[in-house]
Amino acid sequence: MTLKFGVVGTGAIGKEHIKRITSSLCGGEIVAVTDVNQLAAEQVVEQFGLNAVVYPDDKSLVAAENVDAVLVTSWGPAHEQSVLAAIEAGKYVFCEKPLATTAEGCMKIVEAEMKHGKRLVQVGFMRRYDSGYVQLKEAIDTHTIGEPLMIRCAHRNAKVDANYTTEMAISDTLVHEIDVLHWLVGDDYKSVQVVFPKRTKHALDHLQDPQIIMMETNSGITIHVEVFVNCQYGYDIQCEVIGEEGVANLPEVPSVITRKNATLGASILTDWKQRFMDAYDKELQDFMDSIKTTGEPNGPTSWDGYIVAVTSDACLKAQQTGNKESVTLGEKPAFYKNEKEISK
Ligand code: NAI
Ligand code: NAD
Ligand code: ISE
């Protein structure tokens, strides 16, 4: 069976996902597209030679009979409406992060999905599919470094455009760490705090860059994330877990090592699209495969999207207050628990 996708939002990542579904992955086809910029949607059909209808909006695309799954790659504030429309129509959804821009919006999605009675939604937190993070999780789960005590991370972009705001360091950038770190250690967050270090001269006046975000989990693991989006030198993702018996680092991206002019060198990527290319492939392939084999997507859930939204809301508050802010999550509904969690 081929899973027929309708795509909402044909910008940067929309095009990337269309490309991978049509040319490198198995079992998917793009049959519908829409974008608030209709011309962008039309161009994508031509660019990729798609046999797809261009719809005027997300509602008409979701309603199209031949659409089995909706790929939401519009900008963040538009996600909630498209995801709710898809759930209402009983269609599968792969939604790019964030699931919704507020915790209330995510909760509405959680409630709609539970009312539907079956999981339909997967959120695009692709780092869980990255082989480096998978190896790190295995090291933690098999107690290679003992109990994790502290985690140090960096999320660095070479530069960002003028639309990038101080809040986006949390809502666009840190959200990946919020998701992957609680998955890595199997623990939820208790509190967060944000510190603004000395500003780089490379940031525009409206932007506080870099930022340090400190998070504490329920079991007391302290996490320190540097978000630095004008670091100049590249796109660099670092993660070091310090345990009772040792330290585990996220593997560096493989690169040719050169020896030249008395220098030992390795190149660093500059584009986020390349850094997690394999993970994007794997998350979408898993989405299609799990729907085919079990009838439900297997990846990050709406509840994971909700956890990220609650935590990022607390970080946004902490940016304003400078204080430690608590993160309050309700009990995880049984609907979202896996077999291991249910048998606990
Ligand atoms: P983009 O701005 O390049 O593309 C967004 C597209 O959505 C634009 O073409 C825009 O016209 C369209 N759009 C916006 N609102 C719409 C609506 N209501 N209905 C239909 N189309 C709409 O943005 P980009 O970089 O592709 O990001 C899209 C989403 O993907 C964001 O949520 C972003 O956070 C996420 N993203 C995720 C990444 C990841 O690593 N998982 C990487 C980059 C983006
Ligand atoms: P983009 O601006 O390039 O593309 C967004 C597209 O959505 C634009 O073409 C825009 O016209 C369209 N759009 C906006 N609102 C719409 C609406 N209501 N209906 C239909 N189309 C609409 O943005 P992008 O970089 O592709 O990011 C898109 C999403 O993907 C964001 O949520 C972003 O956070 C996420 N993203 C995730 C990753 C990741 O690593 N997982 C990377 C990049 C982007
Ligand atoms: C983008 O929105 C993402 O989600 C990427 O993964 C991130 O690292 C990048 O810096 C963002 O612009």
Side-chain angles (χ1 to χ4, degrees), residues 97 126 155 157 172 176 235 272 280:
K97 38 71 53 171
M126 74 296 176
H155 188 147
N157 291 56
D172 194 60
H176 285 295
Y235 181 67
W272 54 262
Y280 294 126

Side-chain angles (χ1 to χ4, degrees), residues 179-343:
D179 178 69
V180 82
L181 297 177
H182 89 93
W183 166 80
L184 209 53
V185 294
D187 198 358
D188 283 328
Y189 302 108
K190 184 162 76 181
S191 66
V192 297
Q193 191 169 8
V194 179
V195 170
F196 293 155
K198 182 172 175 177
R199 275 184 74 244
T200 167
K201 68 175 185 212
H202 296 294
L204 293 173
D205 285 349
H206 70 269
L207 177 63
Q208 173 58 52
D209 186 42
Q211 298 183 31
I212 304 286
I213 299 94
M214 278 138 358
M215 308 195 276
E216 192 185 356
T217 69
N218 288 330
S219 75
I221 301 170
T222 57
I223 298 171
H224 183 282
V225 186
E226 168 207 315
V227 171
F228 187 13
V229 295
N230 287 284
C231 80
Q232 307 297 298
Y233 71 84
Y235 181 67
D236 194 11
I237 305 298
Q238 300 283 329
C239 180
E240 179 179 64
V241 184
I242 299 110
E244 280 177 328
E245 324 292 344
V247 174
N249 279 279
L250 183 68
E252 290 291 342
V253 179
S255 151
V256 169
I257 306 292
T258 55
R259 286 172 165 79
K260 196 178 170 191
N261 297 335
T263 305
L264 187 62
S267 55
I268 294 176
L269 294 173
T270 52
D271 186 350
W272 54 262
K273 292 188 205 78
Q274 289 174 346
R275 171 63 180 84
F276 289 109
M277 197 184 304
D278 292 345
Y280 294 126
D281 283 350
K282 285 184 190 150
E283 66 174 353
L284 274 167
Q285 190 64 62
D286 189 37
F287 178 74
M288 294 189 276
D289 291 349
S290 54
I291 286 172
K292 267 173 230 167
T293 52
T294 69
E296 294 191 357
N298 186 39
T301 65
S302 301
W303 185 256
D304 292 314
Y306 171 73
I307 291 178
V308 171
V310 171
T311 312
S312 79
D313 280 356
C315 292
L316 289 169
K317 186 169 176 203
Q319 279 186 330
Q320 299 291 326
T321 63
N323 297 333
K324 205 182 217 189
E325 299 294 341
S326 54
V327 178
T328 315
L329 290 168
E331 169 81 12
K332 185 176 190 175
F335 183 84
Y336 291 105
K337 287 187 177 163
N338 58 33
E339 279 163 28
K340 223 163 94 194
E341 290 169 307
I342 291 168
S343 64

